[in-house]
Amino acid sequence: MLQKIFATGTFLFAVLFSFAQIASISEPVKPAEATLAENAPPEKKPFLNITGSADLYYRYDFNKKVGNNRTSFTNTHNDFALGMASVKFEHTGTKVGFVADLGYGQRAKEFAYNDEGITQAIKQLYITYSPAEWLKFTAGTWATHVGYELVDPQLNRNYSMSYMFTNGPFTHTGLKADVTKGKHGFMLGVSNATDYRTMPSGKMDKKFVIAQYSVAPSEKIKLYFNYVGGQGPDTAKSSQIDIVATATVTKKFSAGFNGTVYSSKQWDGVKNIDSKKWWGAAVYLNVDPQDWFGITLRSELFNDKDALKGFNSSLFVNTLSANFKVEGFTFIPEIRIESAGDKIYFDNSGGLTKKGTASFLLAAVYKF
């Protein structure tokens, strides 16, 4: 199955790569402009950079049931709901920096599901040290490198999340090293088990290995190969291999691809047995006719026939989202259609009699 996902991703981005070679010729810099640029004083960075966002939404499920949404952050029906108020503090010195990224609301609560109380407000909290331009160490808690989508709504074009995002890792807490060399990037780290800021008592020795290799074949194409693996607090051994690719074909059209395979060997009280897996693949097609208007289609195939996530079925999900932008504000109308190989969706009386469901969503996101 992994070979099928890799083959799909390779074919898609071979096509995109051929389109992306059509690059426009930039206007040459005039000598006077070059002289002004050389003599201009260096721009001073602010001591503390503060950014943030806020979001809310309304969702209607056409089967009139809350439980039909199995992905993160939008599990409502015919209800107005708050997402998250977020603020991010960043300071970068000559070699040392820090990030404190805080979020408040249901979105942040679900993101930090292993925490309780005020610590659920911590999305990211880490310190960096760069002894050289090509090397950076990071210690603390940071958002995962796995997958295409991010927890902050202003960084996604679809408001609802994919099944791969929901069932993949959210955060890692530990130590990692990033090395950059030209178009290539390498990351290697050791962390607590996925999504644990503090390991449960008696499970402190359980650690995960995380890694990433990235490459930019051109200015318009980027590839990421990701890995997470280790033994969790429940003593199950798991590993996840993930691929992300992005391509800017033209100024008005771009695309993305995410393919992932998660495997787990459960603990039977004596040893790890019966390797099971789930896998997924998604294509993101982005069209931007105007600077203030864009459309994104996400088509995702999610397979959980081993029932690791409780589906015992495969799902095909299409999500069409429009983005209307005014300064820092984005309004997102979205339609989502899901279908499965089995009856896994609720009807309006609460019975699992449906092989498909659909929902409509309106979201408002503001960033500063």
Side-chain angles (χ1 to χ4, degrees), residues 6-25:
F6 279 23
T8 303
T10 302
F11 172 75
L12 172 65
F13 279 89
V15 175
L16 294 175
F17 183 80
S18 64
F19 280 111
Q21 302 310 305
I22 306 174
S24 60
I25 301 174

Side-chain angles (χ1 to χ4, degrees), residues 206 231 234-237 264-274:
K206 309 298 183 183
Q231 189 173 28
D234 61 354
T235 66
K237 290 184 178 179
S264 176
K265 290 185 177 181
Q266 301 299 309
W267 182 256
D268 70 349
V270 179
K271 60 183 182 298
N272 295 98
I273 59 169
D274 297 335

Side-chain angles (χ1 to χ4, degrees), residues 43-260:
E43 183 180 354
K44 292 184 179 180
K45 295 182 179 180
F47 177 79
L48 188 65
N49 189 36
I50 303 176
T51 57
S53 66
D55 65 284
L56 53 90
Y57 72 95
Y58 169 85
R59 180 178 178 273
Y60 186 89
D61 185 271
F62 290 108
N63 284 349
K64 300 180 180 180
K65 198 68 180 175
V66 171
N68 276 331
N69 181 38
R70 312 287 183 86
T71 58
S72 301
F73 312 144
T74 53
N75 191 21
T76 59
H77 162 61
N78 195 22
D79 200 7
F80 292 96
L82 302 178
M84 176 174 64
S86 181
V87 61
K88 185 177 182 180
F89 303 92
E90 296 179 84
H91 171 72
T92 304
T94 305
K95 292 186 176 181
V96 181
F98 93 96
V99 169
D101 188 4
L102 308 177
Y104 305 88
Q106 187 62 32
R107 197 178 186 101
K109 185 177 180 180
E110 290 184 35
F111 186 68
Y113 63 92
N114 277 325
D115 291 85
E116 295 181 357
I118 192 64
T119 58
Q120 287 187 322
I122 300 175
K123 293 190 294 174
Q124 300 184 98
L125 181 61
Y126 58 84
I127 297 173
T128 62
Y129 171 59
S130 300
E133 290 185 359
W134 54 271
L135 176 63
K136 181 173 73 173
F137 295 99
T138 302
T141 294
W142 58 86
T144 186
H145 56 294
V146 172
Y148 183 89
E149 299 173 20
L150 300 166
V151 62
D152 295 289
Q154 73 274 18
L155 302 178
N156 303 317
R157 293 174 61 111
N158 301 111
Y159 186 80
S160 66
M161 311 305 292
S162 68
Y163 279 95
M164 286 185 289
F165 173 90
T166 297
N167 294 287
F170 286 172
T171 61
H172 306 287
T173 298
L175 175 66
K176 65 174 180 175
D178 287 275
V179 176
T180 56
K181 181 67 174 178
K183 296 180 179 180
H184 304 272
F186 305 89
M187 184 275 287
L188 183 64
V190 59
S191 71
N192 293 342
T194 292
D195 299 338
Y196 278 92
R197 276 82 179 277
T198 302
M199 293 294 292
S201 177
K203 306 292 184 179
M204 308 301 182
D205 59 330
K206 309 298 183 183
K207 294 292 181 283
F208 273 45
V209 173
I210 61 174
Q212 181 183 75
Y213 167 65
S214 60
V215 61
S218 72
E219 293 182 355
K220 297 188 175 185
I221 294 180
K222 295 180 180 179
L223 303 172
Y224 304 85
F225 302 90
N226 307 308
Y227 173 80
V228 175
Q231 189 173 28
D234 61 354
T235 66
K237 290 184 178 179
S238 65
S239 64
Q240 185 170 358
I241 298 173
D242 181 84
I243 299 174
V244 174
T246 63
T248 302
V249 182
T250 69
K251 183 179 179 181
K252 296 184 178 182
F253 176 67
S254 62
F257 171 80
N258 185 199
T260 196

